[in-house]
Amino acid sequence: MTDPGDEGASTSGSSSFLGQHLEIDTDSAYGDDSESVLSAFTSAMSAATDYRYENGRRYHAYDDGAYYLPNDEDELDRLDLQHEMWKMVLKGALYMSPIPDSVQSVLDVGCGTGVWSIQFAEEHPGAQVIGTDLSPVQPSFVPPNCSFLVDNAEKEWAFDQKFDFVHVRMLCMGMHSWPRFFRQCWENMEPGGWLEVREIMFPWGAAGHGPQDLEQIAKSPLLEWSDLVRQGAAKVGIDTKACLRFEELLRGQGFVNVRRKDVQWPLGIWPKGEEQKKLGAYAVENLKSGLQGISTAVFSRNLGMSREEIEVRLAHARKDLKEGRYYAPIFMYSCQKPDVQKASAEPAFEARTISDAPASGKHSDNGKDQEPESNGRRMPQ
């Protein structure tokens, strides 16, 4: 196991040029000699790409150890596939929040490969889209209204603008304080702006049972794996079940028009319905590398497992995945920062869920099947 301070592990200072917004210096003491400034920036960029290699996987260097999933090519391919799964859930849309077409400033926190940022920028050429991530793995050729910053969302934000829309998904394996994170979202949003958060929960569940059924977890190597992810994350103060209380946290911060949608990603083609089967097939493909990527650093660093022990557990989990009927619990939230100049009554909170064993691509709300809502826009092909 390699700790952040061990030889070969990457380290970064408490301050960095990365993630900083630049201003023109009209009274620079450097004059025409910019070599020292260029050298400092080059050093910062080098620190962000001086990746950690561990157990055959590559991990981020900036704020080394802040996030537990790798950033190598296998992981980037998995994230792009996962993006398609999110679009399936939203019927091809990029978001469920009722943001206006006139949206101007957008922040994508933890943007990964940058695919969501890029596609949103293409859909909304009038909006300026900023994606942030610990790893500079995004493509160089992007729409002119899209840019990326290397930054840690858990540190103090230093944006020189406020945002109309903040998009967040899949940060649970790196987030230690959701209340602080939601506070920073609030402070960096325009009045009337929207925040959308989508998260996965650990442990996972079996068809017909809840995701925290201890009896089922004890019977299943895959569910036991998912609970070990929870345990390993908890060792360093990460709560992989925090999404269950996002409503309380968001309302406590002051957000209104809070809307929640619960979804189950079937792990396999066992559920009824063509859409669910397709989603399940994608989920299995997503897990081929995801099982190892999600758990290897957590198991080795936090639970003290050897690489051999990890591989044995992964083999049992993969076998169980083929034979069982399992799902990953997904929670999606949308909320708004109130505009005091356009105050209106807040509608009643809606909690929409589907059954433990999804039988179709529809959501069940009080016993009635409903199609998942979307913003009505189709994604560019």
Side-chain angles (χ1 to χ4, degrees):
M1 182 175 70
T2 306
D3 292 323
D6 290 346
E7 183 178 356
S10 303
T11 59
S12 58
S14 58
S15 62
S16 172
F17 283 86
L18 303 173
Q20 301 286 334
H21 295 266
L22 306 181
E23 297 181 2
I24 297 174
D25 184 358
T26 57
D27 186 26
S28 175
Y30 285 106
D32 295 331
D33 183 9
S34 60
E35 289 186 6
S36 58
V37 176
L38 179 60
S39 176
F41 179 80
T42 302
S43 176
M45 181 56 71
S46 176
T49 55
D50 185 18
Y51 298 125
R52 171 202 285 240
Y53 291 86
E54 181 179 290
N55 292 317
R57 303 301 299 264
R58 189 187 75 184
Y59 295 86
H60 70 92
Y62 181 70
D63 277 357
D64 178 48
Y67 184 64
Y68 281 87
L69 273 65
N71 69 357
D72 50 29
E73 290 303 317
D74 285 347
E75 177 66 5
L76 301 185
D77 289 343
R78 188 186 73 83
L79 291 178
D80 282 341
L81 177 63
Q82 187 172 269
H83 174 71
E84 296 303 316
M85 294 169 62
W86 283 116
K87 288 168 63 178
M88 288 182 194
V89 170
L90 294 176
K91 300 295 184 183
L94 285 174
Y95 52 90
M96 68 178 188
S97 302
I99 62 172
D101 291 332
S102 59
V103 61
Q104 295 183 350
S105 54
V106 179
L107 177 64
D108 184 16
V109 183
C111 65
T113 66
V115 61
W116 186 94
S117 304
I118 292 169
Q119 291 186 3
F120 189 97
E122 290 173 343
E123 260 195 13
H124 300 82
Q128 293 297 316
V129 183
I130 297 175
T132 67
D133 200 88
L134 289 165
S135 297
V137 294
Q138 301 77 32
S140 301
F141 297 99
V142 298
N145 59 325
C146 180
S147 60
F148 298 103
L149 298 173
V150 177
D151 209 356
N152 184 347
E154 289 206 289
K155 288 191 172 181
E156 202 66 28
W157 296 7
F159 294 106
D160 55 6
Q161 67 181 96
K162 294 188 182 297
F163 299 94
D164 301 319
F165 183 36
V166 177
H167 172 262
V168 183
R169 68 185 185 193
M170 295 299 210
L171 296 187
C172 73
M173 293 303 293
M175 188 60 62
H176 296 77
S177 177
W178 284 103
R180 183 174 186 271
F181 176 77
F182 290 145
R183 174 182 62 79
Q184 295 214 83
C185 289
W186 172 277
E187 292 173 350
N188 287 270
M189 290 173 61
E190 294 280 7
W194 288 86
L195 168 64
E196 184 164 322
V197 187
R198 291 178 251 161
E199 279 299 337
I200 193 170
M201 187 184 84
F202 293 89
W204 295 349
H209 300 272
Q212 302 183 64
D213 190 319
L214 297 181
E215 182 178 350
Q216 293 299 313
I217 289 174
K219 294 178 180 179
S220 163
L222 179 66
L223 298 187
E224 182 184 31
W225 169 88
S226 72
D227 195 53
L228 285 171
V229 172
R230 176 193 64 79
Q231 294 176 39
K235 291 278 189 180
V236 291
I238 294 174
D239 182 5
T240 61
K241 299 192 293 183
C243 50
L244 293 172
R245 54 188 180 91
F246 279 1
E247 178 203 351
E248 173 189 350
L249 297 177
L250 292 168
R251 290 184 180 278
Q253 180 59 56
F255 287 102
V256 298
N257 295 329
V258 181
R259 180 183 173 206
R260 166 179 162 178
K261 297 180 74 173
D262 298 354
V263 179
Q264 295 172 356
W265 278 357
L267 305 176
I269 59 173
W270 55 266
K272 295 180 180 179
E274 182 179 348
E275 291 183 0
Q276 289 288 344
K277 288 185 181 296
K278 183 178 180 181
L279 180 60
Y282 272 54
V284 169
E285 186 67 25
N286 182 56
L287 275 178
K288 283 186 177 180
S289 65
L291 280 172
Q292 184 192 57
I294 292 167
S295 58
T296 297
V298 175
F299 288 1
S300 63
R301 299 179 197 174
N302 302 345
L303 297 181
M305 292 187 190
S306 66
R307 185 170 182 177
E308 292 73 19
E309 184 180 357
I310 293 171
E311 289 302 325
V312 169
R313 287 188 177 275
L314 291 176
H316 290 316
R318 291 189 184 102
K319 183 175 185 294
D320 191 27
L321 174 62
K322 294 178 181 179
E323 299 172 352
R325 296 181 175 182
Y326 304 111
Y327 66 89
I330 301 293
F331 297 83
M332 306 193 298
Y333 291 83
S334 173
C335 59
Q336 185 178 30
K337 181 176 180 178
D339 188 339
V340 293
Q341 296 180 346
K342 299 180 180 179
S344 60
E346 179 186 1
F349 174 78
E350 284 187 273
R352 298 183 178 179
T353 63
I354 61 176
S355 64
D356 284 337
S360 69
K362 299 180 180 181
H363 291 237
S364 176
D365 186 8
N366 297 325
K368 298 179 180 180
D369 286 335
Q370 295 184 346
E371 292 289 345
E373 297 180 24
S374 72
N375 56 35
R377 298 181 181 85
R378 300 298 302 177
M379 292 301 305
Q381 300 300 317

